[in-house]
PDB file of all heavy atoms in Angstrom:
ATOM      1  N   ARG A 279     -31.572 163.078  73.314  1.00 43.00           N
ATOM      2  CA  ARG A 279     -33.020 163.259  73.160  1.00 43.00           C
ATOM      3  C   ARG A 279     -33.682 161.900  73.056  1.00 43.00           C
ATOM      4  O   ARG A 279     -33.462 161.143  72.127  1.00 43.00           O
ATOM      5  CB  ARG A 279     -33.296 164.086  71.897  1.00 43.00           C
ATOM      6  CG  ARG A 279     -34.754 164.353  71.676  1.00 43.00           C
ATOM      7  CD  ARG A 279     -34.936 165.255  70.486  1.00 43.00           C
ATOM      8  NE  ARG A 279     -34.270 166.523  70.728  1.00 43.00           N
ATOM      9  CZ  ARG A 279     -33.865 167.334  69.759  1.00 43.00           C
ATOM     10  NH1 ARG A 279     -34.044 167.007  68.513  1.00 43.00           N
ATOM     11  NH2 ARG A 279     -33.285 168.468  70.056  1.00 43.00           N
ATOM     12  N   ARG A 281     -37.239 161.285  73.365  1.00 40.00           N
ATOM     13  CA  ARG A 281     -38.540 161.354  72.693  1.00 40.00           C
ATOM     14  C   ARG A 281     -39.391 160.110  72.976  1.00 40.00           C
ATOM     15  O   ARG A 281     -39.805 159.401  72.080  1.00 40.00           O
ATOM     16  CB  ARG A 281     -38.366 161.534  71.183  1.00 40.00           C
ATOM     17  CG  ARG A 281     -37.706 162.844  70.824  1.00 40.00           C
ATOM     18  CD  ARG A 281     -37.539 162.982  69.330  1.00 40.00           C
ATOM     19  NE  ARG A 281     -36.938 164.247  69.010  1.00 40.00           N
ATOM     20  CZ  ARG A 281     -37.603 165.345  68.696  1.00 40.00           C
ATOM     21  NH1 ARG A 281     -38.903 165.327  68.652  1.00 40.00           N
ATOM     22  NH2 ARG A 281     -36.989 166.471  68.423  1.00 40.00           N
ATOM     23  N   VAL A 285     -40.486 157.177  69.054  1.00 52.00           N
ATOM     24  CA  VAL A 285     -39.707 156.270  68.224  1.00 52.00           C
ATOM     25  C   VAL A 285     -39.786 154.825  68.704  1.00 52.00           C
ATOM     26  O   VAL A 285     -39.315 153.923  68.028  1.00 52.00           O
ATOM     27  CB  VAL A 285     -38.226 156.715  68.176  1.00 52.00           C
ATOM     28  CG1 VAL A 285     -38.109 158.073  67.526  1.00 52.00           C
ATOM     29  CG2 VAL A 285     -37.629 156.762  69.575  1.00 52.00           C
ATOM     30  N   LEU A 511     -28.226 173.990  63.944  1.00 90.00           N
ATOM     31  CA  LEU A 511     -28.607 172.927  64.867  1.00 90.00           C
ATOM     32  C   LEU A 511     -27.799 173.141  66.144  1.00 90.00           C
ATOM     33  O   LEU A 511     -26.653 172.694  66.268  1.00 90.00           O
ATOM     34  CB  LEU A 511     -28.341 171.556  64.245  1.00 90.00           C
ATOM     35  CG  LEU A 511     -28.891 171.369  62.818  1.00 90.00           C
ATOM     36  CD1 LEU A 511     -28.607 169.963  62.317  1.00 90.00           C
ATOM     37  CD2 LEU A 511     -30.388 171.675  62.774  1.00 90.00           C
ATOM     38  N   SER A 514     -26.251 170.147  68.061  1.00 76.00           N
ATOM     39  CA  SER A 514     -25.200 169.447  67.312  1.00 76.00           C
ATOM     40  C   SER A 514     -24.025 170.345  66.974  1.00 76.00           C
ATOM     41  O   SER A 514     -22.966 169.851  66.563  1.00 76.00           O
ATOM     42  CB  SER A 514     -25.779 168.866  66.014  1.00 76.00           C
ATOM     43  OG  SER A 514     -26.883 168.036  66.277  1.00 76.00           O
ATOM     44  N   ARG A 516     -23.849 172.402  64.438  1.00 85.00           N
ATOM     45  CA  ARG A 516     -23.686 172.431  62.987  1.00 85.00           C
ATOM     46  C   ARG A 516     -24.725 173.352  62.367  1.00 85.00           C
ATOM     47  O   ARG A 516     -25.788 173.581  62.930  1.00 85.00           O
ATOM     48  CB  ARG A 516     -23.855 171.016  62.401  1.00 85.00           C
ATOM     49  CG  ARG A 516     -22.837 169.984  62.911  1.00 85.00           C
ATOM     50  CD  ARG A 516     -21.589 169.989  62.069  1.00 85.00           C
ATOM     51  NE  ARG A 516     -21.885 169.630  60.692  1.00 85.00           N
ATOM     52  CZ  ARG A 516     -21.989 168.380  60.242  1.00 85.00           C
ATOM     53  NH1 ARG A 516     -21.847 167.361  61.085  1.00 85.00           N
ATOM     54  NH2 ARG A 516     -22.246 168.136  58.967  1.00 85.00           N
ATOM     55  N   LEU A 527     -36.065 168.362  57.043  1.00 91.00           N
ATOM     56  CA  LEU A 527     -35.865 167.049  57.662  1.00 91.00           C
ATOM     57  C   LEU A 527     -34.679 166.326  57.044  1.00 91.00           C
ATOM     58  O   LEU A 527     -33.845 165.756  57.759  1.00 91.00           O
ATOM     59  CB  LEU A 527     -37.128 166.199  57.520  1.00 91.00           C
ATOM     60  CG  LEU A 527     -37.057 164.789  58.087  1.00 91.00           C
ATOM     61  CD1 LEU A 527     -36.849 164.812  59.593  1.00 91.00           C
ATOM     62  CD2 LEU A 527     -38.317 163.997  57.741  1.00 91.00           C
ATOM     63  N   ALA A 528     -34.581 166.341  55.729  1.00 88.00           N
ATOM     64  CA  ALA A 528     -33.465 165.673  55.068  1.00 88.00           C
ATOM     65  C   ALA A 528     -32.137 166.305  55.475  1.00 88.00           C
ATOM     66  O   ALA A 528     -31.144 165.606  55.687  1.00 88.00           O
ATOM     67  CB  ALA A 528     -33.642 165.731  53.553  1.00 88.00           C
ATOM     68  N   ALA A 529     -32.114 167.639  55.609  1.00 89.00           N
ATOM     69  CA  ALA A 529     -30.883 168.316  56.007  1.00 89.00           C
ATOM     70  C   ALA A 529     -30.491 167.953  57.439  1.00 89.00           C
ATOM     71  O   ALA A 529     -29.310 167.734  57.739  1.00 89.00           O
ATOM     72  CB  ALA A 529     -31.066 169.824  55.875  1.00 89.00           C
ATOM     73  N   ILE A 530     -31.484 167.865  58.330  1.00 88.00           N
ATOM     74  CA  ILE A 530     -31.184 167.481  59.718  1.00 88.00           C
ATOM     75  C   ILE A 530     -30.693 166.045  59.775  1.00 88.00           C
ATOM     76  O   ILE A 530     -29.770 165.717  60.534  1.00 88.00           O
ATOM     77  CB  ILE A 530     -32.434 167.666  60.603  1.00 88.00           C
ATOM     78  CG1 ILE A 530     -32.827 169.139  60.679  1.00 88.00           C
ATOM     79  CG2 ILE A 530     -32.189 167.118  61.999  1.00 88.00           C
ATOM     80  CD1 ILE A 530     -34.125 169.397  61.432  1.00 88.00           C
ATOM     81  N   HIS A 531     -31.293 165.158  58.991  1.00 84.00           N
ATOM     82  CA  HIS A 531     -30.897 163.751  59.008  1.00 84.00           C
ATOM     83  C   HIS A 531     -29.459 163.544  58.560  1.00 84.00           C
ATOM     84  O   HIS A 531     -28.839 162.535  58.911  1.00 84.00           O
ATOM     85  CB  HIS A 531     -31.846 162.927  58.134  1.00 84.00           C
ATOM     86  CG  HIS A 531     -33.074 162.476  58.862  1.00 84.00           C
ATOM     87  ND1 HIS A 531     -34.167 161.916  58.246  1.00 84.00           N
ATOM     88  CD2 HIS A 531     -33.389 162.502  60.192  1.00 84.00           C
ATOM     89  CE1 HIS A 531     -35.086 161.603  59.148  1.00 84.00           C
ATOM     90  NE2 HIS A 531     -34.635 161.959  60.329  1.00 84.00           N
ATOM     91  N   GLU A 532     -28.892 164.474  57.818  1.00 82.00           N
ATOM     92  CA  GLU A 532     -27.482 164.363  57.470  1.00 82.00           C
ATOM     93  C   GLU A 532     -26.597 164.510  58.687  1.00 82.00           C
ATOM     94  O   GLU A 532     -25.481 163.989  58.729  1.00 82.00           O
ATOM     95  CB  GLU A 532     -27.129 165.424  56.431  1.00 82.00           C
ATOM     96  CG  GLU A 532     -27.783 165.210  55.073  1.00 82.00           C
ATOM     97  CD  GLU A 532     -27.395 166.282  54.087  1.00 82.00           C
ATOM     98  OE1 GLU A 532     -26.546 167.141  54.449  1.00 82.00           O
ATOM     99  OE2 GLU A 532     -27.912 166.280  52.955  1.00 82.00           O
ATOM    100  N   VAL A 533     -27.084 165.249  59.705  1.00 80.00           N
ATOM    101  CA  VAL A 533     -26.328 165.456  60.940  1.00 80.00           C
ATOM    102  C   VAL A 533     -26.808 164.516  62.034  1.00 80.00           C
ATOM    103  O   VAL A 533     -26.019 163.953  62.790  1.00 80.00           O
ATOM    104  CB  VAL A 533     -26.474 166.931  61.398  1.00 80.00           C
ATOM    105  CG1 VAL A 533     -25.784 167.147  62.738  1.00 80.00           C
ATOM    106  CG2 VAL A 533     -25.909 167.864  60.344  1.00 80.00           C
ATOM    107  N   ASP A 534     -28.124 164.338  62.133  1.00 75.00           N
ATOM    108  CA  ASP A 534     -28.732 163.522  63.191  1.00 75.00           C
ATOM    109  C   ASP A 534     -29.720 162.540  62.575  1.00 75.00           C
ATOM    110  O   ASP A 534     -30.924 162.802  62.517  1.00 75.00           O
ATOM    111  CB  ASP A 534     -29.437 164.428  64.206  1.00 75.00           C
ATOM    112  CG  ASP A 534     -30.100 163.648  65.341  1.00 75.00           C
ATOM    113  OD1 ASP A 534     -29.813 162.443  65.481  1.00 75.00           O
ATOM    114  OD2 ASP A 534     -30.910 164.247  66.082  1.00 75.00           O
ATOM    115  N   PRO A 535     -29.233 161.398  62.097  1.00 72.00           N
ATOM    116  CA  PRO A 535     -30.143 160.421  61.469  1.00 72.00           C
ATOM    117  C   PRO A 535     -31.177 159.854  62.417  1.00 72.00           C
ATOM    118  O   PRO A 535     -32.162 159.265  61.978  1.00 72.00           O
ATOM    119  CB  PRO A 535     -29.181 159.320  60.977  1.00 72.00           C
ATOM    120  CG  PRO A 535     -27.826 159.933  60.990  1.00 72.00           C
ATOM    121  CD  PRO A 535     -27.839 160.954  62.074  1.00 72.00           C
ATOM    122  N   ALA A 536     -30.975 160.024  63.736  1.00 68.00           N
ATOM    123  CA  ALA A 536     -31.893 159.437  64.720  1.00 68.00           C
ATOM    124  C   ALA A 536     -33.136 160.285  64.944  1.00 68.00           C
ATOM    125  O   ALA A 536     -34.045 159.856  65.659  1.00 68.00           O
ATOM    126  CB  ALA A 536     -31.178 159.242  66.055  1.00 68.00           C
ATOM    127  N   LEU A 537     -33.217 161.485  64.344  1.00 78.00           N
ATOM    128  CA  LEU A 537     -34.411 162.291  64.539  1.00 78.00           C
ATOM    129  C   LEU A 537     -35.627 161.520  64.034  1.00 78.00           C
ATOM    130  O   LEU A 537     -35.670 161.102  62.878  1.00 78.00           O
ATOM    131  CB  LEU A 537     -34.290 163.618  63.787  1.00 78.00           C
ATOM    132  CG  LEU A 537     -35.512 164.542  63.904  1.00 78.00           C
ATOM    133  CD1 LEU A 537     -35.616 165.117  65.307  1.00 78.00           C
ATOM    134  CD2 LEU A 537     -35.449 165.661  62.883  1.00 78.00           C
ATOM    135  N   PRO A 538     -36.657 161.330  64.881  1.00 76.00           N
ATOM    136  CA  PRO A 538     -37.813 160.528  64.460  1.00 76.00           C
ATOM    137  C   PRO A 538     -38.542 161.149  63.276  1.00 76.00           C
ATOM    138  O   PRO A 538     -38.622 162.365  63.140  1.00 76.00           O
ATOM    139  CB  PRO A 538     -38.707 160.521  65.702  1.00 76.00           C
ATOM    140  CG  PRO A 538     -37.813 160.894  66.836  1.00 76.00           C
ATOM    141  CD  PRO A 538     -36.773 161.794  66.271  1.00 76.00           C
ATOM    142  N   ALA A 539     -39.071 160.298  62.433  1.00 77.00           N
ATOM    143  CA  ALA A 539     -39.909 160.736  61.319  1.00 77.00           C
ATOM    144  C   ALA A 539     -40.706 159.529  60.865  1.00 77.00           C
ATOM    145  O   ALA A 539     -40.161 158.440  60.730  1.00 77.00           O
ATOM    146  CB  ALA A 539     -39.076 161.286  60.171  1.00 77.00           C
ATOM    147  N   SER A 540     -41.989 159.731  60.621  1.00 75.00           N
ATOM    148  CA  SER A 540     -42.829 158.608  60.215  1.00 75.00           C
ATOM    149  C   SER A 540     -43.486 158.873  58.868  1.00 75.00           C
ATOM    150  O   SER A 540     -43.058 158.371  57.844  1.00 75.00           O
ATOM    151  CB  SER A 540     -43.882 158.323  61.290  1.00 75.00           C
ATOM    152  OG  SER A 540     -44.676 157.216  60.937  1.00 75.00           O
ATOM    153  N   CYS A 549     -41.875 164.176  63.955  1.00 86.00           N
ATOM    154  CA  CYS A 549     -40.569 164.786  63.711  1.00 86.00           C
ATOM    155  C   CYS A 549     -40.419 166.158  64.347  1.00 86.00           C
ATOM    156  O   CYS A 549     -39.489 166.896  64.009  1.00 86.00           O
ATOM    157  CB  CYS A 549     -40.293 164.879  62.211  1.00 86.00           C
ATOM    158  SG  CYS A 549     -41.445 165.963  61.313  1.00 86.00           S
ATOM    159  N   ALA A 592     -31.608 171.076  68.054  1.00 78.00           N
ATOM    160  CA  ALA A 592     -31.403 169.753  67.445  1.00 78.00           C
ATOM    161  C   ALA A 592     -29.912 169.489  67.290  1.00 78.00           C
ATOM    162  O   ALA A 592     -29.097 170.390  67.355  1.00 78.00           O
ATOM    163  CB  ALA A 592     -32.081 169.695  66.080  1.00 78.00           C
TER     164      ALA A 592
END
Side-chain angles (χ1 to χ4, degrees):
R279 181 176 299 157
R281 296 179 179 266
V285 297
L511 311 182
S514 305
R516 299 272 298 276
L527 178 64
I530 296 175
H531 274 169
E532 293 180 4
V533 176
D534 180 13
L537 179 71
S540 182
C549 64

